[in-house]
Amino acid sequence: TQVLHPYAAAQHAKGSTDGLRNAALMGTRLALLVGLPITVTVVIVGERFVSLWMGPEYGRVAGPLLIVLTLSRLVHLSQAGSYEVLLGMSLHRVPTTLNLVAGVLGVTGSAVLARWYGLMGVAIGGALPILVLHGMFQPWYTNKSLNISWGTYLWRAVLPPVASAIPYGLALYAVAST
């Protein structure tokens, strides 16, 4: 998605709002097309893979942790394209602040939740700020900055990769269940 930064800067310099919108939507769609199959794989066979690799006791502990960490990573990855477009538009203050706040809240939340929930608390404490800030606020800010409706965002950027991941997930589940 880093190639979107100079492209967005050029589109911004030309005053091409349509080019910027398309770049942001395409960046999200492509990031999800790459990240969703990996995420689906980890969710469906992650625990089994770790169990086979390191033993069942590790699989039982690592499996749920992998799911939480992978889902939060997918959310963060899905916004990498919009992040680069915002940088290309010189709108770096908000996304940079989101990264900083997510980091501080993640460390703080992990430290607090670790006392009660151990490793899962650490994972959830780090994941929650990413899910909220990058999964909800950053798309809202990008859509607002580029005048993209939520319907357009979902229809053009999110739903096509999700729809393409469903057959893979079903096939993998079927194979993994046998």
Side-chain angles (χ1 to χ4, degrees), residues 99-109:
N99 282 336
L100 178 63
V101 171
V104 170
L105 290 176
V107 169
T108 304

Side-chain angles (χ1 to χ4, degrees), residues 17-90:
T17 306
D18 285 340
L20 292 165
R21 281 188 201 112
N22 288 333
L25 293 169
M26 181 65 72
T28 298
R29 183 171 48 222
L30 291 175
L32 285 171
L33 281 169
V34 170
L36 272 168
I38 297 165
T39 302
V40 167
T41 302
V42 169
V43 168
I44 294 173
V45 298
E47 183 174 337
R48 183 180 297 179
F49 176 79
V50 173
S51 293
L52 290 170
W53 178 30
M54 300 180 71
E57 63 279 357
Y58 287 101
R60 281 189 296 277
V61 173
L65 295 172
L66 279 171
I67 291 171
V68 171
L69 295 172
T70 304
L71 288 174
S72 66
R73 184 64 191 141
L74 175 67
V75 168
H76 191 269
L77 173 68
S78 75
Q79 297 308 305
S82 66
Y83 177 78
E84 295 296 334
V85 170
L86 291 170
L87 291 181
M89 296 170 60
S90 295

Side-chain angles (χ1 to χ4, degrees), residues 73-145:
R73 184 64 191 141
L74 175 67
V75 168
H76 191 269
L77 173 68
S78 75
Q79 297 308 305
S82 66
Y83 177 78
E84 295 296 334
V85 170
L86 291 170
L87 291 181
M89 296 170 60
S90 295
L91 296 176
H92 55 278
R93 181 173 291 170
V94 170
T96 302
T97 302
L98 288 177
N99 282 336
L100 178 63
V101 171
V104 170
L105 290 176
V107 169
T108 304
S110 292
V112 169
L113 293 176
R115 294 180 190 175
W116 294 289
Y117 302 105
L119 288 175
M120 184 55 80
V122 173
I124 291 171
L128 281 177
I130 292 170
L131 295 175
V132 172
L133 296 174
H134 294 290
M136 294 171 13
F137 189 76
Q138 187 170 334
W140 172 82
Y141 179 73
T142 303
N143 290 346
K144 181 177 180 260
S145 299

